Amino acid sequence: GAEKTLGDSEYMPDLLHTHLLNFIEKNKDKPFYAYYSLSSVHGDIQPTPDSKADSKDLYADNIVYMDKLVGQLIAELERMKLLENTLIVFMGDNGTANKPAKNDYIGGKLVKGAKGSMEEGGSLVPFIANWKGKIAPGQMTDQLIDSSDLLPTFVELAEAKLPTKNVIDGQSFAPQLLGKKATPRDWIFIELGNKWFVREAKFKLNRDGELFDMSKSPFAESLIPADSTNPEAIAARKRMEAVLAKLNPAGGVLDDGDGSGRARSKAKQPTEEVKKDNKKDKKKAPN
């Protein structure tokens, strides 16, 4: 909790990494959970200790250094004989920021959109799960998974119990990790500021009622005409309208800020009337 000044010879990602390794060493003989935010590929993008003086791509340097730290973490877990008893999840927290997004390719194709957008490039993130001896290597899935699914997944794998007095939005994907039969989720919900959408495997429906064909995502998103007579599109719209009606995102406190979702004006704070309505809604919420 202490606030300290970073010294001239100190590099924050290395300090964070050392702190993490110390935590694991201290707790290696009992169950532990560690949330490790790699700070380097976030910006301001600074030179790494391995960057050359004339480096032309500091963003790439930071990605390489991040990979290096992840490799060191794996090596330390192996040294402590914890690798076969540790689930490692590596994921991004949002899409690639605007400038680096021009190099956001998958298989040689440019991903559509960037951080802060309602396109795939805004919310589609890397996700890798590793558990030596438990998760078969080399698997890939196109099933829908979002960050709300992490809690129920970890709880199931730890053979614990979810809280019963809260609405749990996530759905465990533990069976998928372990190669067992599973029922994948039908949709995911994405919200940023005052924009949102519901996404199925083939379609997405946004706040404005626009329906998109996502069959070529993440490289293209095709707007489907509102008067389309395609039965599959009509059925998808109906399903996702029902999801939005249930979630009622418009009933919350809307943020008219920028694409970061953090810039809500003080003038937009909820009124007493809205606060009272929110309290009523909470009382009605199911357990």
Side-chain angles (χ1 to χ4, degrees), residues 89-214:
V89 172
F90 177 95
M91 66 179 290
D93 64 341
N94 49 247
T96 306
N98 288 308
K99 265 190 175 181
K102 70 180 186 298
N103 295 317
D104 194 6
Y105 289 88
I106 298 177
K109 294 182 179 179
L110 184 65
V111 173
K112 185 174 178 58
K115 176 183 177 180
S117 77
M118 287 287 104
E119 296 170 318
E120 283 288 87
S123 55
L124 183 68
V125 298
F127 188 99
I128 302 170
N130 178 281
W131 192 354
K132 189 176 180 180
K134 294 289 182 73
I135 299 176
Q139 298 182 91
M140 292 186 69
T141 179
D142 57 4
Q143 294 179 2
L144 296 174
I145 293 173
D146 75 25
S147 55
S148 71
D149 298 332
L150 293 172
L151 171 62
T153 300
F154 294 160
V155 167
E156 181 175 343
L157 291 172
E159 299 180 359
K161 293 182 179 179
L162 284 167
T164 58
K165 294 183 179 180
N166 305 79
V167 176
I168 304 298
D169 295 318
Q171 178 176 320
S172 173
F173 56 88
Q176 287 97 313
L177 292 178
L178 302 177
K180 299 178 181 178
K181 187 177 179 180
T183 303
R185 58 158 60 242
D186 296 321
W187 54 266
I188 57 176
F189 175 71
I190 299 293
E191 180 175 5
L192 180 66
N194 61 2
K195 298 178 181 179
W196 55 76
F197 63 81
V198 174
R199 168 84 150 84
E200 294 185 345
K202 293 183 179 180
F203 300 95
K204 98 175 171 187
L205 181 71
N206 66 17
R207 178 186 177 178
D208 298 324
E210 294 174 321
L211 184 68
F212 291 85
D213 177 356
M214 303 299 285

Side-chain angles (χ1 to χ4, degrees), residues 62-112:
N62 277 268
I63 292 174
V64 171
Y65 202 89
M66 176 183 67
D67 286 349
K68 175 182 173 179
L69 291 178
V70 172
Q72 289 177 357
L73 172 60
I74 302 298
E76 284 298 301
L77 288 171
E78 195 164 29
R79 180 187 66 80
M80 295 184 214
K81 303 189 185 307
L82 294 177
L83 206 52
E84 294 183 0
N85 198 32
T86 304
L87 168 64
I88 303 165
V89 172
F90 177 95
M91 66 179 290
D93 64 341
N94 49 247
T96 306
N98 288 308
K99 265 190 175 181
K102 70 180 186 298
N103 295 317
D104 194 6
Y105 289 88
I106 298 177
K109 294 182 179 179
L110 184 65
V111 173
K112 185 174 178 58

